[in-house]
């Protein structure tokens, strides 16, 4: 039996500077240094500020991850780094750091797709066998993937506009609730009546697994403005009912489209059918419970990794790097940082990909 690989992972594609040491499926250390305080005043992540903060913190983060793991750099088998997709300045900071460490130590360098890190997390946490169906649902992503291997993904659908987390965040902003919007909207929805306001279930009348969430936000804006025009403001019950109606619509779309994705996936006759959900929106109890019930009905194993591993972290990058290393993947000093890097290169770009290109 070969010893499990020990991999140092680096992640800096958005607003979390992270480093971790993973041995096989064991997380020896995982450090995540958030940047919330730096961006708060601007209402969103400022790429230049993020890149500078990554550059300043990456070495501290790596030193801490190695110290927590109780291992020197020479105790690693390889260095894995997020090489995209993401904010280019941050990805560059991580790739440059990893290259420096690789040259200095002679360790192998492995560039990892950030989305592959998320998509392989159910293997890190639960050893979920290939092929499994995955729903990545966060503030920036929303897609169904059939995961067949660390480099073999089929995207069978996704959002054509906003990601659900983004829609939750915008909803919170429109209703004066704190950010991040998901938890605030979920909390307010508990006391609300989901049936008081009519929200659409976008694209449910069309075949396939693509989704759309931007219309929900517009519907909410219209309902809110009608209330304000009629009564001069919003009562607490209005906010609760709007949140409940919005959340129920997002849940119904995600559940309805997941039902279709499961049917497509099962056509492949996977030997051990499994479904995993990841991303910040998976923290939503109504959505997660709906997905779990759906899987139970279809006889699919259901995996929802712990939230700390669903949100951005470097343990998932180290783990994915380990699977790639085992497949013989090695990169050299030509490894480049990629702002866009779709997991499924054969899938057509999403509709509405717009000015910023395809929503990977
Ligand atoms: O995966 P994640 O931490 O980050 C990225 O998207 O990169 O996801 C964050 C998103 C935010 O939009 C947040 O509002 C949403 O996940 N979220 C939730 C909940 N908790 C976090 N959405 C709905 N319900 C929740 N309980
Ligand atoms: Zn992410």
């Amino acid at each position: 039996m070969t010893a499990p690989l020990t991999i140092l992972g680096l992640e800096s594609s958005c607003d979390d500077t992270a480093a971790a040491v993973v041995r096989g499926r064991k997380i020896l250390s995982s450090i995540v240094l958030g940047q919330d305080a730096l961006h708060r005043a601007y209402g969103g992540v400022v790429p230049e500020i993020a890149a500078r903060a990554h550059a300043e913190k990456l070495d501290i983060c790596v030193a801490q991850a190695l110290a927590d793991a109780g291992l020197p750099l020479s105790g690693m088998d390889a260095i894995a780094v997020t090489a995209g997709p993401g904010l280019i300045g941050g990805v560059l900071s991580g790739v440059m750091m990893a290259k420096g460490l690789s040259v200095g130590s002679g360790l192998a360098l492995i560039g990892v797709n950030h989305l592959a890190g998320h998509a392989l997390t159910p293997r890190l946490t639960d050893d979920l066998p290939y092929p499994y169906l995955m729903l990545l649902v966060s503030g920036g992503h929303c897609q169904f993937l059939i995961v067949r291997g660390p480099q073999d993904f089929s995207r069978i659908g996704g959002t054509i506009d906003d990601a659900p987390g983004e829609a939750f965040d915008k909803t919170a902003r429109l209703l004066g609730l704190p950010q991040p919007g998901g938890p605030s909207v979920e909390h307010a929805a508990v006391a609300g009546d989901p049936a008081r306001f009519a929200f659409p279930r976008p694209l449910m009348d069309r075949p396939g697994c693509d989704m759309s969430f931007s219309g929900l936000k517009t519907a909410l804006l219209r309902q809110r403005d009608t209330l304000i025009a009629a009564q001069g403001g919003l009562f607490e019950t209005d906010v609760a009912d709007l949140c409940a109606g919005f959340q129920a619509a997002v849940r119904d779309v995600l559940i309805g489209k997941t039902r279709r994705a499961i049917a497509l996936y099962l056509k492949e006759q996977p030997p051990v059918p499994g479904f995993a959900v990841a991303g910040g929106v998976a923290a939503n109890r109504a959505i997660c419970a709906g997905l779990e019930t759906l899987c139970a009905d279809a006889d699919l194993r259901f995996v929802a990794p712990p939230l700390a591993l669903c949100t951005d972290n470097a343990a998932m990058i180290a783990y994915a790097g380990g699977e790639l290393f085992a497949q013989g993947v090695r990169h050299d000093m030509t490894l480049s940082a990629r702002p866009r890097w779709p997991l499924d290169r054969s899938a057509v770009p999403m509709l509405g990909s717009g000015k910023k290109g395809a929503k990977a």
Side-chain angles (χ1 to χ4, degrees):
M1 207 180 95
T2 51
L5 296 165
T6 307
I7 312 282
L8 171 68
L10 271 63
E11 155 63 36
S12 56
S13 64
C14 189
D15 59 346
D16 290 304
T17 312
V21 177
V22 172
R23 175 174 287 161
R25 294 200 156 79
K26 194 159 189 267
I27 300 171
L28 301 183
S29 64
S30 180
I31 309 292
V32 180
L33 305 175
Q35 302 178 351
D36 282 354
L38 296 177
H39 302 288
R40 195 167 295 136
Y42 306 96
V45 177
V46 184
E48 278 308 315
I49 294 177
R52 192 174 292 263
H54 287 306
E56 281 170 5
K57 290 279 170 64
L58 269 163
D59 54 348
I60 299 167
C61 204
V62 167
Q64 190 63 49
L66 290 170
D68 282 10
L71 290 169
L73 187 58
S74 58
M76 304 297 118
D77 290 301
I79 298 163
V81 62
T82 299
L87 299 174
I88 191 66
V91 179
L92 258 175
S93 304
V95 168
M96 297 305 284
M97 175 84 192
K99 282 183 180 176
L101 288 171
S102 168
V103 166
S105 63
L107 290 168
L109 173 70
I110 301 163
V112 174
N113 183 312
H114 176 84
L115 296 171
H118 281 302
L120 298 180
T121 300
R123 292 180 55 74
L124 165 64
T125 57
D126 293 83
D127 200 6
L128 194 61
Y130 295 125
Y132 54 89
L133 178 66
M134 176 97 200
L135 171 60
L136 261 183
V137 65
S138 69
H141 318 297
C142 181
Q143 51 186 304
F144 291 109
L145 294 166
I146 296 179
V147 185
R148 300 192 185 86
Q151 302 183 82
D152 190 356
F153 305 91
S154 293
R155 192 192 69 205
I156 58 170
T159 183
I160 61 168
D161 42 52
D162 291 353
E166 205 176 346
F168 269 99
D169 293 341
K170 285 180 186 164
T171 292
R173 219 165 282 139
L174 289 172
L175 297 176
L177 298 171
Q179 295 293 319
S184 334
V185 171
E186 180 175 18
H187 186 253
V190 172
D193 170 9
R196 176 169 159 210
F197 299 105
F199 280 92
R201 293 337 186 223
L203 300 191
M204 283 312 293
D205 54 347
R206 283 200 227 157
C209 303
D210 282 346
M211 291 165 279
S212 163
F213 297 98
S214 69
L216 289 179
K217 176 191 66 200
T218 315
L220 183 117
L221 179 64
R222 229 179 275 126
Q223 311 270 25
R224 181 200 73 162
D225 289 351
T226 308
L227 286 170
I228 293 176
Q231 57 191 38
L234 296 177
F235 293 106
E236 214 171 292
T237 49
D238 299 328
V239 172
D241 293 345
L242 285 167
C243 286
F246 166 83
Q247 180 176 273
V250 174
R251 182 203 57 206
D252 288 354
V253 171
L254 285 172
I255 302 296
K257 293 289 180 167
T258 302
R259 186 176 289 116
R260 291 184 195 171
I262 288 176
L264 271 178
Y265 162 70
L266 288 178
K267 277 193 188 156
E268 292 196 4
Q269 303 192 315
V272 189
F275 172 87
V277 60
V281 179
N284 186 288
R285 267 152 296 198
I287 293 171
C288 205
L291 293 171
E292 192 166 7
T293 306
L294 200 59
C295 287
D297 292 347
D299 257 340
L300 259 68
R301 181 171 163 200
F302 175 79
V303 172
L307 196 60
L309 292 173
C310 279
T311 52
D312 288 352
N313 67 88
M316 68 180 190
I317 302 303
Y319 176 77
E323 285 217 17
L324 291 169
F325 186 90
Q327 284 200 338
V329 174
R330 307 285 185 275
H331 291 116
D332 58 21
M333 292 304 119
T334 62
L335 175 69
S336 53
R338 301 172 62 173
R340 302 226 159 245
W341 185 1
L343 272 182
D344 180 350
R345 270 156 283 179
S346 68
V348 284
M350 290 294 191
L351 291 172
S353 54
K355 281 180 272 192
K356 291 185 189 164
K359 290 209 169 199

